[in-house]
Amino acid sequence: MSNRDDAIARLLTRVDATLAQSGHGFPHYCDPAHGEWVRSPAGNWTGGFWVGMLWLAALKTGRQSYRDEAHAWAARLRPRAGSNSVFKGFLFWYGAGIGEVLLDDHVARDLAAEGTAGLVRMYNPEARLIPLGTEAEEASDVGLNEANIDALPGTIALLYAHGPEAAAIGRNHLLRHIALCVRDDSSVGQSATFDPRDGALVRRYTHKGIHADSTWGRAQAWAMIGLAQALARGETAVQEHAVRIADWWLAHLPQDGVAFWDFDDPAIPEAPRDTSATAIAAAALLKLAALIPVHRARYAAAAARSIDALVAGYLTPTAPDDTRQAGILTAGCFDKRNGVATKHELIWGDYFLLEALLALEGTLVPERV
């Protein structure tokens, strides 16, 4: 068994262990020392990634039991379609949309459509985007005049998949977020305040990074995923942006292929890593490698280098004497600024590592998700 095959097996073991744990909320983050998840009752912005793990497990193994669990967990997301948060794009793409795409699942299809309809209802046609919303999770400033680069992944895929009206909204939403969040040097600012009357930029800032003007690792990675999803759905106008943002990531990535939590932390190289940002970016690079032939070789090689580094150094067990539960992706940095889960397993990190590994082995076509 290759290292990557073994890593997939370990991640599936972790899925099984999570299913066996007590607790009714969605897995959120976990201290690797004991393997017990901190859970979010309604899914927060992360619950879709747990359901996504179940869809991927069903795809890999063909087991109906995983699909049944995905149905049960996805159904618990249904009330969130009406929430005033753009982050339901995460919930309903990874929690339902990929089940429709990968498994032609009718339950997932219906739920994905509900999530998309909820996003469409939030659209501001004057500003030409969907704002964060008054109930957005994990943002320092929320409301109808705030935007966040995290609002692209999943949201873009859902909108482009559900008819011309939703797709037109998706295109405007995408282009406004590029204008609001992408700096001239192709680094990405996490958040922006805009004028709701016309979408004009008021201020750009990073609320989870080391300082307001820093490049937080996950912001750059989320932008990479969002643009790759748009490019995969025919939005060729953003290809140059996608390449520039991906190239910025690669130019600033440490030699070992695993990103620090914030590229501007003065404590580097002693600063915390973020394996979750690294997994997101690697999954994005695999999509871009498939979509942009001229960059295929270098993007695929960079993605494989980061994935192999995560598997070798951060996926338990990481050493012969490591007695921790198998399949935990360690060293995810959730929210260093507020001291939350800074060296932990993060459910979205697990998801993107599994997605990337399945793409490398050919089980899934990366640009489809």
Side-chain angles (χ1 to χ4, degrees), residues 3 33 42 47-48 50 63 76 94 111 171 182 197 217 278 280-281 303 308 355:
N3 288 342
W50 164 237
R63 295 178 190 167
R76 297 172 64 182
Y94 294 100
L111 189 58
R171 185 174 195 275
V182 180
R197 297 170 297 182
T278 305
I280 295 164
D308 289 342
E355 179 194 298

Side-chain angles (χ1 to χ4, degrees), residues 185-308:
D185 69 352
S186 301
S187 66
V188 177
Q190 182 188 7
S191 301
T193 303
F194 63 90
D195 187 331
R197 297 170 297 182
D198 61 6
L201 177 65
V202 175
R203 66 165 178 147
R204 179 183 294 138
Y205 63 101
T206 294
H207 73 266
K208 271 191 175 176
I210 192 71
H211 56 71
D213 296 322
S214 72
T215 302
W216 179 56
R218 218 150 64 234
Q220 197 78 17
W222 286 136
M224 290 166 66
I225 282 283
L227 268 67
Q229 289 180 338
L231 190 60
R233 286 149 184 86
E235 198 57 70
T236 56
V238 303
Q239 178 170 312
E240 182 180 350
H241 293 292
V243 170
R244 290 193 299 109
I245 290 168
D247 285 355
W248 192 98
W249 173 273
L250 293 178
H252 293 81
L253 190 65
Q255 187 62 37
D256 65 4
V258 180
F260 293 101
W261 79 284
D262 189 299
F263 287 98
D264 295 302
D265 189 338
I268 291 172
E270 303 304 322
R273 305 293 184 129
D274 186 3
T275 56
S276 77
T278 305
I280 295 164
L285 287 168
L286 290 176
K287 300 178 200 305
L288 294 174
L291 293 164
I292 311 175
V294 69
H295 297 302
R296 179 169 296 151
R298 69 188 185 93
Y299 285 170
R305 179 166 65 97
S306 286
I307 293 162
D308 289 342

Side-chain angles (χ1 to χ4, degrees), residues 258-261 272-281 310 313-315 329-333 344-346 348-350 352-353:
V258 180
F260 293 101
W261 79 284
R273 305 293 184 129
D274 186 3
T275 56
S276 77
T278 305
I280 295 164
L310 293 177
Y314 298 90
L315 186 67
L329 180 60
T330 63
C333 187
H344 285 60
E345 179 184 22
L346 308 174
W348 62 92
D350 289 0
F352 281 106
L353 180 57

Side-chain angles (χ1 to χ4, degrees), residues 2-258:
S2 72
N3 288 342
R4 292 175 188 168
D5 289 339
D6 180 62
I8 293 170
R10 280 183 271 166
L11 286 164
L12 293 178
T13 296
R14 181 62 174 151
V15 170
D16 293 340
T18 299
L19 288 170
Q21 280 186 18
S22 60
H24 300 290
F26 289 81
H28 197 36
Y29 59 84
C30 171
D31 184 338
H34 55 65
E36 293 291 324
W37 288 99
V38 172
R39 294 174 179 264
S40 57
N44 203 280
W45 62 269
T46 64
F49 294 110
W50 164 237
V51 190
M53 292 283 287
L54 295 167
W55 291 124
L56 293 183
L59 177 71
K60 172 61 179 175
T61 66
R63 295 178 190 167
Q64 183 64 39
S65 59
Y66 286 130
R67 189 183 290 216
D68 291 342
E69 290 285 358
H71 287 162
W73 283 94
R76 297 172 64 182
L77 294 174
R78 178 166 275 112
R80 299 296 304 283
S83 64
N84 194 253
S85 169
V86 73
F87 295 145
K88 60 192 169 194
F90 282 134
L91 298 178
F92 288 92
W93 175 249
Y94 294 100
I98 68 167
E100 176 186 0
V101 168
L102 297 177
L103 297 166
D104 194 27
D105 189 280
H106 71 278
V107 173
R109 180 180 64 245
D110 293 345
L111 189 58
E114 289 184 38
T116 305
L119 288 167
V120 168
R121 287 192 293 270
M122 289 182 63
Y123 181 62
N124 177 341
E126 286 75 30
R128 303 183 305 287
L129 55 74
I130 301 168
L132 276 180
T134 57
E135 298 174 334
E137 309 89 346
E138 298 300 334
S140 62
D141 295 275
V142 301
L144 303 182
N145 65 334
E146 293 291 328
N148 191 297
I149 200 67
D150 308 39
L152 292 186
T155 295
I156 291 298
L158 284 170
L159 291 169
Y160 277 72
H162 288 96
E165 178 190 1
I169 289 172
R171 185 174 195 275
N172 288 341
H173 181 76
L174 171 70
L175 296 178
R176 287 309 306 151
H177 277 77
I178 293 172
L180 290 170
C181 295
V182 180
R183 305 184 184 109
D184 290 342
D185 69 352
S186 301
S187 66
V188 177
Q190 182 188 7
S191 301
T193 303
F194 63 90
D195 187 331
R197 297 170 297 182
D198 61 6
L201 177 65
V202 175
R203 66 165 178 147
R204 179 183 294 138
Y205 63 101
T206 294
H207 73 266
K208 271 191 175 176
I210 192 71
H211 56 71
D213 296 322
S214 72
T215 302
W216 179 56
R218 218 150 64 234
Q220 197 78 17
W222 286 136
M224 290 166 66
I225 282 283
L227 268 67
Q229 289 180 338
L231 190 60
R233 286 149 184 86
E235 198 57 70
T236 56
V238 303
Q239 178 170 312
E240 182 180 350
H241 293 292
V243 170
R244 290 193 299 109
I245 290 168
D247 285 355
W248 192 98
W249 173 273
L250 293 178
H252 293 81
L253 190 65
Q255 187 62 37
D256 65 4
V258 180

